[in-house]
């Protein structure tokens, strides 16, 4: 809004949570030199985070275990993960769990029922089990302020497949992979590599 822009114009310094947010502010005419990026440093939602991923029993699941956590919506990029899973179906053993409230037509999701388990909204107290279960975390967001779930996944030692727009601190090729927006093939390729 114009009031927010007036406040940014008056500010000596602007602090934001990611390079993506900084870039957005610069594109709106804000001075680059007065914008500072300070990534989130702590998550209060995790009690006693295990910084080294523990090996959990694989039960009878073979193959790669994929986790998505967040609202099941277009904004979070869920169609691109689902398309990537379709590309791998029958070629690579992949199990996927999706934790989050459903914000798309449930009828659309039915055709993906064989590819992944839609868990719905999961209590924070249960997320630790999901992070420990997973081999990789995928969040192909179109736009975010700052994706706390990527920080949480990193705390559990998970490689992350995400986009630049997810506003996380994932470094491409080091702790995960940054894929282009809306690129199901890139997601599938990185899942194949993992």
């Amino acid at each position: 809004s114009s009031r927010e822009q007036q406040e940014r114009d008056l500010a000596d310094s602007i602090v934001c949570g990611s390079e993506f947010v900084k870039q957005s502010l610069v594109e709106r005419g804000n001075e680059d030199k007065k914008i500072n990026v300070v990534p989130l440093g702590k998550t209060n939602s995790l009690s006693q985070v295990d910084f080294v991923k523990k090996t959990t029993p694989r039960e009878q699941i073979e193959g790669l275990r994929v986790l998505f956590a967040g609202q099941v919506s277009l904004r979070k990029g869920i169609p691109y993960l689902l398309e990537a899973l379709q590309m791998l179906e029958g070629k690579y053993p992949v199990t996927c769990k999706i934790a989050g409230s459903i914000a798309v037509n449930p009828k659309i999701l039915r055709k993906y029922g064989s590819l992944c388990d839609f868990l719905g909204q999961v209590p924070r107290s249960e997320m630790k089990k999901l992070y420990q279960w997973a081999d990789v975390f995928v969040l192909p967001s179109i736009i975010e302020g700052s994706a706390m779930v990527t920080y949480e996944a990193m705390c559990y030692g998970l490689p992350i497949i995400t986009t630049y727009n997810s506003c996380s601190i994932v470094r491409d090729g080091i702790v995960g992979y940054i894929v282009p927006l809306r690129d199901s093939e890139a997601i599938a390729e990185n899942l194949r590599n993992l």
Side-chain angles (χ1 to χ4, degrees):
S1 75
S2 63
R3 179 180 174 175
E4 290 172 342
Q5 186 59 50
Q6 288 173 345
E7 289 173 355
R8 288 191 292 267
D9 291 341
L10 291 172
D12 293 325
S13 179
I14 300 170
V15 178
C16 60
S18 71
E19 288 294 333
F20 175 69
V21 173
K22 178 179 179 177
Q23 179 183 337
S24 298
L25 290 170
V26 170
E27 288 172 3
R28 290 186 181 133
N30 296 283
E31 293 179 52
D32 180 273
K33 65 183 179 186
K34 73 177 186 180
I35 304 172
N36 299 290
V37 176
V38 179
L40 298 174
K42 178 182 175 190
T43 89
N44 289 331
S45 61
L46 296 176
S47 58
Q48 297 187 337
V49 172
D50 300 321
F51 287 98
V52 177
K53 182 170 172 28
K54 294 180 179 177
T55 302
T56 55
R58 292 195 67 87
E59 300 159 0
Q60 295 178 346
I61 298 171
E62 294 297 324
L64 189 67
R65 298 181 293 193
V66 177
L67 176 62
F68 170 98
Q71 186 181 58
V72 180
S73 67
L74 298 175
R75 187 175 73 94
K76 298 286 186 177
I78 195 68
Y80 312 106
L81 171 58
L82 296 174
E83 288 172 5
L85 293 171
Q86 273 187 320
M87 292 174 192
L88 300 176
E89 188 176 24
K91 299 173 188 166
Y92 297 90
V94 176
T95 303
C96 180
K97 291 186 180 184
I98 296 181
S101 60
I102 309 291
V104 295
N105 187 336
K107 291 178 184 178
I108 295 170
L109 300 180
R110 284 188 193 137
K111 70 178 182 178
Y112 300 103
S114 64
L115 297 173
C116 49
D117 294 327
F118 292 93
L119 306 175
Q121 197 160 2
V122 174
R124 283 243 168 246
S125 59
E126 298 296 314
M127 285 304 298
K128 179 177 180 177
K129 291 177 188 174
L130 289 174
Y131 287 122
Q132 289 177 326
W133 167 86
D135 295 316
V136 60
F137 184 82
V138 181
L139 184 72
S141 276
I142 305 303
I143 189 165
E144 290 282 340
S146 186
M148 181 61 74
V149 290
T150 59
Y151 293 79
E152 292 174 355
M154 287 171 63
C155 288
Y156 285 97
L158 295 175
I160 298 166
I161 299 172
T162 191
T163 62
Y164 174 74
N165 293 16
S166 73
C167 300
S168 74
I169 57 172
V170 172
R171 293 178 291 163
D172 190 41
I174 298 173
V175 296
Y177 302 99
I178 306 295
V179 297
L181 288 178
R182 300 175 182 92
D183 193 337
S184 303
E185 179 56 47
I187 297 167
E189 181 182 338
N190 284 294
L191 289 173
R192 277 192 297 267
N193 291 340
L194 288 170

